[in-house]
Amino acid sequence: MFSFVLIKDNHFFNPPDYFPKPVYNFEHPPLDSNKIELGRILFYDPILSKDNTISCASCHSPFNAFAHTDHDLSHGIFDSIGNRNAPALFNLAWQKTFMWDGAINHIDMQALAPISHPSEMGSNLNEVIKKLNESKAYKELFLNAFQDSTISTSKILKALSQFQLTLVSANAKYDRVKMGKEVFTEQEKNGYQLFKKNCASCHSEPLFSNYNFENNGLPIDPTLNDLGRYVITENENDKAKFKVPSLRNLSFTYPYMHDGRFMTLKEVINHYTSGIEYSETLSLQFNESIELSSNEKVDLISFLLTLNDKDFVFNKKHQFKKIADQAKE
């Protein structure tokens, strides 16, 4: 295990008033600084993987709004490649399901999936617990967090979820306009109107997602043959349906879609105007074509860029520093 720097901060979770009520129950248990800190350290530690090479942050970099941009599909141990793009991690307290197909229905259990996936971390909680128990530093961290140095599956998962619940993105230009601190340019105003007309049914404000499962008309990749939500429910009506991602921080979270097939926002918009493929499970809102001129596409992108939250992306309390790195500053 590497040496780490503790970062203490009492500002855990403070979304703006216009955000809806979170679905996560913060009362049992409430956020705790020591649990959050333990979760942050675990999130960046490759000790969670079978060969000690892959951490949560390997696919969820803070500088990419906790997504990744260097490849379309997730990469794991032994240079293995997954079958989906790693989704961004923020505003998780408002989400009832996790993963592109909703395989996990509670954030306190979410980390089980990547830890055990053979193409991601390829480990299991028993192996992880064994390695953590060999670390005096971790024993102390668990003692501080839970008043008990015994390391267990539930404590590991709870610490990871507590850290991730603090990843709130709510300070983009859009938010500052919402609070009356800034104003949109004319181009951004035009794009906002286009957004509300064409996109808001799935990407509803202020989270910019309804977090439902939709078939947005993407042709199924013949190699991956990924049927999305259907893999979990085996319901024919769920074929090719994937969880709707938030549109916040798009400049940091490319490539786009569940399989990372689009590198640019222009490609995404062109899909919705001219690339939708009909199928029996196509979401109803796509039965009517979306028509945008070249100028309107530019205006729409201009608005979408107001959803970038640089304060969130470069927030040091979300990052990790080894002691050696701190000494260089």
Side-chain angles (χ1 to χ4, degrees), residues 302-315:
S302 180
F303 167 70
L304 294 176
L305 296 181
T306 71
L307 305 181
N308 290 330
D309 183 354
K310 292 183 179 179
D311 287 349
F312 169 74
V313 170
F314 299 110
N315 190 333

Side-chain angles (χ1 to χ4, degrees), residues 216-219 262 267-278:
N216 65 347
L218 283 175
F262 298 137
E267 290 178 280
V268 173
I269 293 173
N270 285 342
H271 162 71
Y272 287 116
T273 56
S274 60
I276 290 177
E277 182 178 274
Y278 177 80

